Amino acid sequence: MQGSRSVTILAFALYSRRAFPPLTVDSVTTTPLKSDSLAYSLLGAARAVALVRGGLALPQALNRVGNTLQTSAQARGAIQDIAYRTMRLRGRVDALIHLMTAKPPQPALLAALLECALALLGAADPAYEAFTVVDQAVSAASTEPEIAHARGMVNAVLRRFLRERDALARQLAGNREAQWNYPAWWIDAARSAYPADWEALLAAGNSLPPLTLRINRRKTDPVAYLALLEQHGMPARQVGPDAVLLMQPVPVQRIPGFADGLVSVQDAAAQLAAPLLDLRDGMRVLDACAAPGGKTGHMLECAELDLLALDQDGQRLQRVAENLERLRLRASLKQGDAAGADWWDGQPFDRILADVPCTASGIVRRHPDIRWLRRKGDVAQLTAVSARILDNLWRMLAPGGKLLFVTCSVWPQESEGQAAAFTLRNQAERLPAPGQLLPVAADNANHDGLFYALFQKPGL
């Protein structure tokens, strides 16, 4: 009897290895979970969250897990949804885990699985019944050798949360990270920079981002495109000169005319860049730090340009090429460091768009992992990097030319402070521009947080 049982276990293990690829922090372990089950999605999301806890950005983490799983697009979407929900609620779920466990759960995958399950249980808009989440989280733990020993703990913690939800909430009443779902330093920085608006700023960063489209004026116009959306049963409204907001986000593959270049996905605030540069046919233009190419495409839609798209990351530069191919637009693409000059041919540019590196604090609703990956010291470090880039690009600008400084940060040191210091160092003339736009999530306005400063170089 014992021998028969051993053979059964061995056969099951061999079956599992054939059916599912292995998963460590970089790969999937043996598991009999079905790819359309919540347990499978929870485990995949936990893998991604564990990678973020190790310092990897969430999109890269999801891509790594997805490539290893080699699963369906539907399963990838479910994993992504849970991972993003978890990042938006990480401050609260981590505080709950601290209250309900004697010591931090180990290994990282166990902590991440608890985070993902608690994020689903504590969501304002629950996507699953509570008993289903508990059952599937325990199943996920049970079939994963790395944490199978802790399946009882997973069950106990989640059931305790359901029993004591109100009492636990009262215990968290004074915990700022649990209340706002940001690190303490981020909350302090927001409060210091925007004493009257910090709560709205943090709340906007916790909201779901809109799906805003940019109309390609070379191929259509807002009125015609809104009519096309209506034909497809997709309610939308115009929120800018070329900006259309879809009331219900959909995958890009379902957006009418997207594959044909009629529209691009681009936030309403980001669509302000190209018009500010006053582009005209024949101009020589540099798009520094160009990837993924949204602003590159917009500029080329505005005028016939001799445009160079520069980016230090070769893989991200490929995304610029793909976007331009879809739009049927042409530009020169070059890999290079905007703080250096080995890529420059010595010919000055009429216009330069400098969308410089920053903490990305203005787009955390799109990238909720950023708040947990950044450190307070990153602000000064990235400000120094961006200052070198701006000074370097300024010498490449033709007399009378214009340079647009853009950053997706809300921290004054990276935005207005940077612009003011640049003006003094280079004796640049500052032209009218929007300045700091804080992220907004409202019916009449819905956009990310960006900063704009426009400079003109003295003429001959």
Side-chain angles (χ1 to χ4, degrees):
M1 189 71 175
Q2 182 64 35
S4 174
R5 181 173 180 272
S6 298
V7 171
T8 301
I9 292 172
L10 176 61
F12 177 76
L14 291 173
Y15 165 79
S16 298
R17 289 191 181 96
R18 288 197 303 270
F20 297 89
L23 182 69
T24 61
V25 170
D26 292 297
S27 63
V28 180
T29 37
T30 304
T31 172
L33 297 173
K34 294 182 178 180
S35 63
D36 61 351
S37 69
L38 177 57
Y40 187 94
S41 300
L42 274 167
L43 191 56
R47 285 292 177 189
V49 170
L51 288 169
V52 174
R53 292 171 70 93
L56 191 65
L58 183 55
Q60 284 70 44
L62 287 166
N63 188 56
R64 185 179 297 184
V65 171
N67 287 343
T68 306
L69 283 168
Q70 296 182 342
T71 191
S72 66
Q74 181 178 357
R76 287 192 181 211
I79 290 170
Q80 176 175 300
D81 177 69
I82 294 172
Y84 272 84
R85 284 173 180 264
T86 303
M87 284 296 112
R88 288 193 173 92
L89 291 173
R90 184 174 170 184
R92 188 166 189 82
V93 297
D94 275 1
L96 285 168
I97 291 170
H98 178 74
L99 285 178
M100 293 188 290
T101 57
K103 58 183 180 180
Q106 292 292 337
L109 180 61
L110 174 59
L113 179 60
L114 286 171
E115 286 179 337
C116 291
L118 285 168
L120 293 183
L121 291 174
D125 55 338
Y128 306 93
E129 295 288 346
F131 73 88
T132 301
V133 175
V134 176
D135 173 74
Q136 293 293 285
V138 173
S139 293
S142 300
T143 55
E144 178 56 57
E146 187 180 357
I147 58 174
H149 67 280
R151 58 187 179 275
M153 174 195 176
V154 171
N155 183 59
V157 168
L158 298 183
R159 289 184 180 278
R160 180 182 172 187
F161 169 74
L162 294 175
R163 288 195 313 269
E164 303 177 17
R165 183 194 300 255
D166 293 340
L168 290 167
R170 288 192 293 271
Q171 291 183 64
L172 293 180
N175 187 318
R176 294 187 302 155
E177 292 193 14
Q179 177 186 359
W180 291 106
N181 288 298
Y182 291 86
W185 76 264
W186 193 298
I187 298 170
D188 291 339
R191 194 167 189 170
S192 175
Y194 306 101
D197 301 312
W198 69 275
E199 291 179 314
L201 171 65
L202 296 179
N206 284 330
S207 65
L208 293 175
L211 179 55
T212 306
L213 306 176
R214 183 189 75 240
I215 305 297
N216 184 352
R217 288 278 184 168
R218 290 178 179 268
K219 296 189 175 184
T220 187
D221 60 71
V223 173
Y225 190 72
L226 284 169
L228 178 62
L229 289 174
E230 186 176 2
Q231 291 173 18
H232 284 79
M234 296 184 178
R237 59 189 175 88
Q238 188 171 355
V239 293
D242 296 321
V244 168
L245 176 68
L246 285 184
M247 307 310 292
Q248 181 63 48
V250 297
V252 292
Q253 299 88 341
R254 290 185 52 201
I255 298 174
F258 180 83
D260 298 322
L262 267 64
V263 292
S264 297
V265 176
Q266 189 178 39
D267 183 75
Q271 293 189 36
L272 300 177
L276 281 168
L277 281 166
D278 184 29
L279 299 164
R280 296 190 295 276
D281 290 350
M283 281 185 168
R284 178 174 161 84
V285 177
L286 171 65
D287 185 359
C289 314
K295 297 181 182 69
T296 310
H298 196 188
M299 287 191 289
L300 290 168
E301 290 170 5
C302 291
E304 298 286 348
L305 306 171
D306 176 11
L307 190 147
L308 172 62
L310 179 77
D311 203 274
Q312 192 171 11
D313 189 324
Q315 287 187 331
R316 283 172 53 81
L317 197 61
Q318 180 58 35
R319 292 187 61 191
V320 180
E322 292 167 359
N323 278 323
L324 295 182
E325 173 66 22
R326 182 180 58 82
L327 294 169
R328 305 294 189 266
L329 296 171
R330 304 180 71 177
S332 299
L333 275 62
K334 187 169 288 189
Q335 184 175 356
D337 183 0
D342 56 351
W343 49 268
W344 185 40
D345 62 6
Q347 298 299 311
F349 296 96
D350 301 304
R351 298 287 187 270
I352 296 178
L353 173 61
D355 193 348
V356 298
C358 68
T359 57
S361 51
I363 56 173
V364 290
R365 63 180 180 173
R366 298 187 187 278
H367 303 282
D369 55 311
I370 286 174
R371 68 190 82 181
W372 307 113
L373 294 171
R374 294 295 186 203
R375 298 294 178 263
K376 188 175 182 180
D378 292 344
V379 179
Q381 181 182 356
L382 287 164
T383 299
V385 171
S386 298
R388 291 196 297 272
I389 291 174
L390 289 169
D391 290 345
N392 185 54
L393 296 178
W394 184 249
R395 67 188 180 92
M396 301 175 182
L397 186 65
K402 296 178 182 179
L403 182 149
L404 181 62
F405 160 44
V406 185
T407 180
C408 53
S409 175
V410 296
W411 306 135
Q413 187 176 350
E414 293 185 280
S415 53
E416 181 54 46
Q418 179 81 279
F422 175 84
T423 304
L424 291 175
R425 286 196 308 272
N426 296 282
Q427 298 181 340
E429 179 186 359
R430 193 164 172 181
L431 302 177
Q436 185 68 68
L437 299 173
L438 295 180
V440 176
D443 291 339
N444 60 338
N446 201 334
H447 57 73
D448 292 339
L450 275 79
F451 176 85
Y452 289 100
L454 183 62
F455 304 96
Q456 185 164 29
K457 201 168 191 177
L460 295 174

